[in-house]
């Protein structure tokens, strides 16, 4: 019984404080363990979601030649040209793999039309993407199959979806 000794006497103030500290620490440990278990479950669910999405979606990644304003503007024009090419086909991963020449050609044409002569590469690869939210859908960070278009030295900021 809290506050009474087994021999019928009262617990000292020191013993009562010790009991209170032990009770508090027990509750704290229980709360920490519950939090850790919940966090671990959430991590597992997020990993499963990322794995599922990685198997279903084709991400898109365009890297600019540099961080100059002109190269960043050109990157967005290339992005739009490639999206126009892909939109007509509503591509799947296999479509993108078999059409990288046409995708690269659309990017090269856009670059030339804008007065540049950067080389372009286009390939379907596995790339790491950080967390990204589109409207009410969040793609967890992880490795995804991606159409990766590199402009020139590909040392500028990138665009991805």
């Amino acid at each position: 019984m809290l506050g009474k000794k087994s021999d019928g006497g009262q617990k000292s103030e020191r013993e009562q404080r010790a009991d209170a500290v032990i009770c508090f620490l027990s509750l704290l440990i229980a709360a920490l363990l519950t939090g850790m278990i919940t966090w671990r479950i959430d991590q597992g669910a997020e990993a499963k979601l990322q794995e599922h999405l990685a198997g279903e979606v084709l991400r898109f990644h365009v890297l600019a030649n540099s961080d100059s304003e002109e190269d960043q503007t050109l990157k967005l024009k290339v992005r739009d040209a490639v999206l126009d090419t892909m939109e007509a086909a509503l591509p799947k991963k296999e479509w993108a793999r078999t059409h990288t020449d046409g995708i690269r050609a659309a990017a090269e044409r856009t670059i030339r039309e804008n007065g540049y002569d950067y080389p372009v590469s286009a390939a379907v690869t596995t790339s790491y993407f950080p967390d990204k939210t589109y409207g009410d859908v969040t793609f967890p960070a992880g490795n995804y199959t991606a159409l990766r278009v590199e402009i020139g030295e590909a040392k500028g900021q990138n665009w991805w979806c």
Side-chain angles (χ1 to χ4, degrees):
M1 201 186 288
L2 188 61
K4 291 200 173 199
K5 288 187 173 181
S6 59
D7 63 4
Q10 292 288 328
K11 285 188 174 185
S12 70
E13 191 175 315
R14 185 177 187 166
E15 289 173 317
Q16 287 178 356
R17 273 190 265 144
D19 286 347
V21 168
I22 290 170
C23 182
F24 173 75
L25 289 175
S26 297
L27 290 172
L28 181 62
I29 290 169
L32 287 172
L33 286 174
T34 301
M36 288 173 55
I37 290 168
T38 301
W39 176 77
R40 190 75 173 134
I41 289 169
D42 288 347
Q43 288 243 304
E46 186 171 293
K48 284 185 179 184
L49 174 61
Q50 190 278 322
E51 185 178 313
H52 172 74
L53 288 172
E56 297 293 321
V57 300
L58 174 68
R59 305 286 300 262
F60 182 32
H61 199 181
V62 181
L63 287 91
N65 179 65
S66 74
D67 283 335
S68 74
E69 188 175 328
E70 296 83 11
D71 283 348
Q72 289 297 310
T73 299
L74 181 63
K75 169 191 71 180
L76 297 177
K77 290 178 180 180
V78 167
R79 173 204 62 190
D80 293 344
V82 171
L83 284 173
D84 286 347
T85 301
M86 292 170 54
E87 193 173 328
L90 293 173
K92 297 194 183 275
K93 292 176 188 180
E94 208 44 51
W95 182 93
R97 281 186 177 94
T98 60
H99 288 81
T100 54
D101 289 341
I103 292 166
R104 186 178 57 252
E108 287 173 341
R109 186 173 42 258
T110 301
I111 289 168
R112 304 291 174 268
E113 288 171 357
N114 283 276
Y116 296 89
D117 63 351
Y118 296 133
V120 177
S121 68
V124 176
T125 65
T126 299
S127 298
Y128 177 83
F129 287 78
D131 287 333
K132 185 72 174 168
T133 299
Y134 305 98
D136 61 350
V137 176
T138 297
F139 285 80
N143 291 314
Y144 292 86
T145 302
L147 171 60
R148 184 176 170 102
V149 177
E150 296 180 353
I151 303 168
E153 294 183 22
K155 292 188 177 183
Q157 291 184 31
N158 57 63
W159 179 89
W160 50 42
C161 75

